Amino acid sequence: MTLSCTINNKAVRLECSPGDVLADVLRAAGYKEVKKACGTGNCGLCTILMDGLPVASCSIFAARAQGKTITTIQGLKKEATELAAFIAAEGAEQCGYCSPGFALMALAMVKEFRARGMQNFDEAEARHYLAGNLCRCSGYQGQMRALKNYWESRNE
Amino acid sequence: MEISCYHRPRSLEEAYDLVVGQGAYPLAGGAWTLISRKNLSSAADLSDLGLRYIKIEGEYIALGAMATARDLETSSLLAEAFGPLFSQALRGIAGIQIRTIVTAGGSVAGRYGFSELLVVLLALDASIVFYKDRTQCLASYLNAAPGAPFLIEKIIIPRNAKATYQCMRQTANDFPILSICAARTSAGWRISVGARPQAAALCPQAGSFLNSLENPGEDGSKRAGLIAAQELSFGDDLRASAEYRRSICPVLVARAIRELCL
Ligand SMILES: Cc1cc2nc3c(=O)[nH]c(=O)nc-3n(C[C@H](O)[C@H](O)[C@H](O)COP(=O)(O)OP(=O)(O)OC[C@H]3O[C@@H](n4cnc5c(N)ncnc54)[C@H](O)[C@@H]3O)c2cc1C
Ligand code: FES
Ligand code: FES
């Protein structure tokens, strides 16, 4: 089957079979920034945005992308590069395999928190929001510091 | 996964014909299907049926079968009616990126033992609306053996109940070891317990005991918890033993009742 959707602001057509998962189809189409590890919805590495919402692309059929707007981390290059500086400054990344999914989720979180009118960075809420993104190298303390600093830099 | 014949019906009538008439597998969020099935000979994708909604229908709140766990968790309508109940109960399901996929209809149809949603819906005395056929209360659906194919259109919840949720889990987003919902409905108290590890079940004796009290207070809450633990069966799995579940049940039930009476 052929799917028509928008990926990172470009209209594209993707070839897939009805049983394919979206992560595999995206990677086969060259979107290698979409990583895949557990393949069961537990690690968050394959996170993409679908119509603005974070979705585990390993746990959704590719057919669901029909007519949707998809964003991978490449579609948020500018924001992700800014965030990456804060992550690096806190040593919150080592192998980097979790980074595309984590950064996408963190940017979605910041956007949602702002929309809710949150003033001060709420670490407990952030931990909840990011609970589906595992990092097996650096742990989560550094990530929280980085996110707090990133949040505060946006308030300046 | 292989799906030999994939259908994307545009109307409930068409979906009903595929699922009930021709035996196609109803595909909702598909997250659990992807984990648990290898191949499907025929599947009916339910995503174009307009079933992703949460709305008021008279005395009820209706959850369309395709409303996602994240929709329920963040719904202002549900928060207005039931406070933080849905948000507290559902935020433990995996990560947000899964909760944006998995659906109310899939959780109910699957009768999963670990389901937080079933525990909450059972305490709130929800009913399932099967397209075309019938409306059945969730309690009797859970007690009945799985039968002929069906298509869930929506789940309806009476709006006048108040309820609280308690659970125990090993890590924030693991399956629960035990989950509890205590509700005060127009017909009286309803206590449900899930992840026993079998599917959610009501505790009618604990409910009757609470109905006999004007205000449960500390002692009444504890006593109701003990009654609940005695009237239910519990089992072992890799997360906990039956004995452990039976011993934490009274504590969680009493907490849920106390919180509701505050
Ligand atoms: C990593 C991970 C962790 C999870 N953790 C939890 C957890 O902690 N707690 C929890 O409760 N759940 C958890 N889940 C399960 C999740 O809630 C399930 O995916 C969900 O319950 C099933 O919903 P679905 O939309 O994915 O259903 P699907 O996989 O699409 O369907 C499930 C079943 O329901 C049937 N079905 C679906 N919709 C209908 C309908 N409208 N009419 C008739 N039959 C229908 C399907 O045919 C299938 O048999 C987890 C899932 C994953 C992937
Ligand atoms: S690869 Fe998708 S959640 Fe792990
Ligand atoms: S930096 Fe290696 S998994 Fe996160």
Side-chain angles (χ1 to χ4, degrees):
Chain A
M1 62 200 288
T2 306
L3 305 173
S4 304
C5 56
T6 302
I7 304 183
N8 299 336
N9 295 319
K10 272 197 195 135
V12 296
R13 288 162 81 80
L14 298 174
E15 286 302 323
C16 70
S17 299
D20 288 348
V21 294
L22 185 55
D24 293 340
V25 172
L26 289 172
R27 285 183 60 80
Y31 299 93
K32 299 281 191 210
E33 68 274 23
V34 179
K35 305 297 180 202
K36 193 174 164 199
C38 71
T40 56
N42 283 289
C43 73
L45 258 70
C46 63
T47 304
I48 53 148
L49 301 181
M50 191 183 264
D51 286 349
L53 291 177
V55 161
S57 60
C58 72
S59 297
I60 190 164
F61 286 102
R64 287 290 162 82
Q66 171 59 36
K68 302 282 187 196
T69 298
I70 290 172
T71 309
T72 73
I73 197 67
Q74 288 292 339
L76 293 175
K77 226 175 188 167
K78 182 172 168 288
E79 297 89 329
T81 307
E82 286 164 8
L83 175 61
F86 288 85
I87 292 175
E90 292 300 332
E93 147 183 291
Q94 287 175 36
C95 78
Y97 200 63
C98 65
S99 298
F102 170 73
L104 204 61
M105 198 66 188
L107 292 169
M109 175 188 80
V110 168
K111 196 170 168 197
E112 193 178 313
F113 284 3
R114 295 266 185 234
R116 280 195 227 154
M118 191 186 284
Q119 296 295 320
N120 298 318
F121 182 71
D122 184 333
E123 187 175 324
E125 272 301 300
R127 282 182 185 275
H128 256 298
Y129 203 98
L130 298 167
N133 291 79
L134 303 185
C135 173
R136 283 298 178 245
C137 299
S138 63
Y140 306 100
Q141 297 298 107
Q143 287 183 352
M144 284 301 134
R145 288 195 303 272
L147 287 173
K148 185 164 187 285
N149 294 342
Y150 175 75
W151 177 275
E152 286 167 0
S153 77
R154 311 279 100 180
N155 285 344
E156 282 161 9
Chain B
M1 175 176 214
E2 287 237 348
I3 300 179
S4 312
C5 206
Y6 172 82
H7 306 272
R8 195 139 174 175
R10 305 277 151 179
S11 69
L12 273 162
E13 193 57 40
E14 202 187 328
Y16 181 85
D17 180 51
L18 284 162
V19 172
V20 178
Q22 302 175 39
Y25 180 97
L27 209 50
W32 201 251
T33 300
L34 275 165
I35 291 180
S36 57
R37 300 286 294 248
K38 284 214 167 62
N39 296 310
L40 294 173
S41 53
S42 173
D45 185 332
L46 309 181
S47 54
D48 287 340
L49 305 178
L51 294 181
R52 187 175 165 196
Y53 58 77
I54 300 169
K55 61 186 181 194
I56 293 180
E57 288 184 356
E59 297 304 303
Y60 297 94
I61 291 184
L63 314 178
M66 292 297 284
T68 66
R70 184 72 177 156
D71 292 339
L72 309 187
E73 180 190 353
T74 56
S75 159
S76 52
L77 203 62
L78 289 173
E80 230 167 77
F82 305 113
L85 177 68
F86 280 84
S87 136
Q88 280 173 356
L90 301 185
R91 63 169 22 193
I93 300 179
I96 288 178
Q97 48 277 74
I98 283 293
R99 303 204 289 278
T100 52
I101 299 174
V102 304
T103 63
S107 301
V108 170
R111 304 165 194 245
Y112 306 111
F114 50 73
S115 172
E116 290 88 346
L117 183 61
L118 282 181
V119 178
V120 169
L121 294 176
L122 187 59
L124 291 176
D125 200 9
S127 296
I128 308 171
V129 178
F130 296 94
Y131 180 67
K132 227 167 172 172
D133 293 325
R134 64 192 195 280
T135 298
Q136 183 178 16
C137 80
L138 181 62
S140 81
Y141 167 79
L142 289 175
N143 284 331
F150 55 83
L151 179 64
I152 297 176
E153 178 183 348
K154 60 187 170 185
I155 296 124
I156 53 173
I157 314 170
R159 281 161 61 194
N160 54 7
K162 289 283 164 260
T164 53
Y165 177 81
Q166 290 284 332
C167 84
M168 171 82 93
R169 29 178 28 116
Q170 280 169 347
T171 62
N173 296 84
D174 193 11
F175 288 145
I177 288 174
L178 202 70
S179 52
I180 310 279
C181 189
R184 259 184 147 155
T185 70
S186 56
W189 282 90
R190 287 169 71 91
I191 310 288
S192 69
V193 180
R196 298 173 295 120
Q198 304 93 318
L202 281 173
C203 308
Q205 292 171 26
S208 306
F209 168 73
L210 288 166
N211 289 338
S212 71
L213 307 174
E214 205 164 292
N215 184 345
E218 187 71 22
D219 289 347
S221 310
K222 280 189 183 158
R223 179 90 197 104
L226 289 168
I227 296 172
Q230 272 159 18
E231 68 181 303
L232 291 175
S233 62
F234 296 90
D236 301 327
D237 67 3
L238 59 88
R239 288 182 176 76
S241 65
E243 198 188 346
Y244 183 76
R245 289 187 160 98
R246 192 179 297 285
S247 58
I248 60 170
C249 178
V251 181
L252 296 181
V253 169
R255 264 187 214 161
I257 295 169
R258 275 201 302 269
E259 203 183 308
L260 199 51
C261 293
L262 280 180

